[in-house]
C-alpha cells in the first residue's frame, strides 16, 4: 500500500511540475514578445525604465520556472532526494516572492486610479520633449492606442507650454489622428488637429481605451496567477512528501 501511494505521489508530482514547466515557458515567451514586439510595446517598454525592468523580470521568472519544472520532473521520476530538496527550496522562495508582490499590488492599487494618472500627467508631462522619459512614454502610449490624455484632450488645457514651443496649441501632436498608429505614421491633418478641430483628433481618453483593451487579459492574468500559486503550493507538498517517502 505504501509503495502504491509513493508511486501515485511520484506521478502527481511529475504532473504538477509539468504544469510549472509549461507556465514558465509561457512567461518566457510573453517576456520575449513584449521586448521584441514590433507593434508598439517595444517602444513603450524601452522608454520606461520600470516597464523595461519588469519585462526582464518576467523573462527571468519564466526561465526560472521553466528550469525548476524540469528539475522537479526529473527529481520525481528518478526519485532523487537532492533534486527534490533543491526544487522545494526554490519553489518556496518563488512562492513567497509572488505572494509578496500580490499583497503589495493590492495595497497600492489606489495608484492605478484615473485620478492618480490625471494628476501625474498634468504634473510631469512636457509635450513633445522626447528627452523626458515620462513625456516620451505618454506620447508612445497615445500614438499606439490612438487615444489622448487620461480622459481626453481636455487634460492638456492646464499643462504649461515648453519655453521653446510657446506657439504650440493645447492639444499635443501625439493626440492627432494618424494613418498608421506609430511614430512613423503620417498625420491625417496635423494643422487642423492642433487648431482644435475635433474630427482630426483622437478624442477618447487612454484610461478607458487601455482598460477596455486589457480587461479580458487582466482577469486572465489574475486567474493564471492564482492557478500558478496553487500549483506551486501543491508541488511543494508533494515534493516534501515524496522526499520523506524515498528510502
Amino acid at each position: 500500500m505504501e509503495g502504491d501511494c509513493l508511486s501515485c505521489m511520484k506521478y502527481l508530482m511529475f504532473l504538477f511540475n509539468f504544469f510549472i514547466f509549461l507556465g514558465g515557458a509561457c512567461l518566457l515567451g510573453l517576456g520575449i514578445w513584449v521586448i521584441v514586439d514590433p507593434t508598439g510595446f517595444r517602444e513603450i517598454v524601452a522608454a520606461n525604465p520600470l516597464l523595461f525592468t519588469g519585462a526582464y523580470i518576467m523573462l527571468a521568472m519564466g526561465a526560472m520556472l521553466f528550469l525548476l519544472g524540469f528539475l522537479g520532473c526529473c527529481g520525481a521520476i528518478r526519485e532523487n532526494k537532492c533534486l527534490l530538496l533543491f526544487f522545494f527550496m526554490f519553489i518556496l522562495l518563488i512562492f513567497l516572492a509572488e505572494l509578496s508582490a500580490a499583497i503589495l499590488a493590492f495595497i497600492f492599487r489606489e495608484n492605478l486610479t484615473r485620478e492618480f494618472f490625471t494628476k501625474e500627467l498634468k504634473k510631469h508631462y512636457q509635450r513633445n520633449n522626447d528627452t523626458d522619459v515620462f513625456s516620451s512614454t505618454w506620447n508612445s502610449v497615445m500614438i499606439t492606442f490612438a487615444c489622448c490624455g487620461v480622459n481626453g484632450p481636455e487634460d492638456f488645457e492646464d499643462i504649461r507650454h515648453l519655453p521653446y514651443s510657446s506657439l504650440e496649441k493645447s492639444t499635443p501632436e501625439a493626440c492627432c489622428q494618424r494613418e498608421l498608429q506609430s511614430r512613423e505614421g503620417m498625420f491625417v491633418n496635423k494643422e487642423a488637429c492642433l487648431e482644435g478641430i475635433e474630427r482630426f483628433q483622437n478624442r477618447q481618453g487612454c484610461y478607458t481605451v487601455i482598460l477596455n483593451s486589457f480587461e479580458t487579459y487582466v482577469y486572465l492574468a489574475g486567474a493564471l496567477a492564482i492557478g500558478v500559486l496553487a500549483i506551486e503550493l501543491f508541488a511543494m507538498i508533494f515534493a516534501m512528501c515524496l522526499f520523506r517517502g524515498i528510502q
Side-chain angles (χ1 to χ4, degrees), residues 3 19 37 47 88 90 147 164 171 177 198 216 222 245 247:
F19 283 121
D37 173 53
F88 175 85
F90 271 87
C147 57
Y164 53 78
T171 304
Q177 292 182 4
E198 294 185 4
T216 304
Q247 300 299 325

Side-chain angles (χ1 to χ4, degrees), residues 43-44 46-48 125-143 174 183:
E43 188 177 24
I44 297 171
N48 191 320
Y125 184 67
Q126 298 180 23
R127 299 183 178 276
N128 299 320
N129 181 12
D130 284 337
T131 59
D132 177 66
V133 173
F134 183 89
S135 303
S136 178
T137 302
W138 259 107
N139 288 336
S140 296
V141 169
M142 291 190 289
I143 292 170
R183 286 184 179 269

Side-chain angles (χ1 to χ4, degrees), residues 93-168:
L93 289 175
I94 294 172
F95 179 84
L96 292 175
E98 290 172 345
L99 195 59
S100 300
I103 293 170
L104 288 174
F106 179 78
I107 292 172
F108 295 105
R109 67 189 184 282
E110 64 272 9
N111 288 346
L112 299 178
T113 61
R114 185 188 295 269
E115 291 74 21
F116 172 80
F117 285 118
T118 303
K119 179 183 176 182
E120 290 297 301
L121 177 69
K122 291 185 176 183
K123 182 178 180 181
H124 300 292
Y125 184 67
Q126 298 180 23
R127 299 183 178 276
N128 299 320
N129 181 12
D130 284 337
T131 59
D132 177 66
V133 173
F134 183 89
S135 303
S136 178
T137 302
W138 259 107
N139 288 336
S140 296
V141 169
M142 291 190 289
I143 292 170
T144 301
F145 290 95
C147 57
C148 188
V150 178
N151 309 288
E154 63 273 11
D155 289 344
F156 299 99
E157 292 176 359
D158 300 327
I159 296 178
R160 64 178 178 82
H161 301 291
L162 293 175
Y164 53 78
S165 58
S166 58
L167 298 177
E168 188 177 23

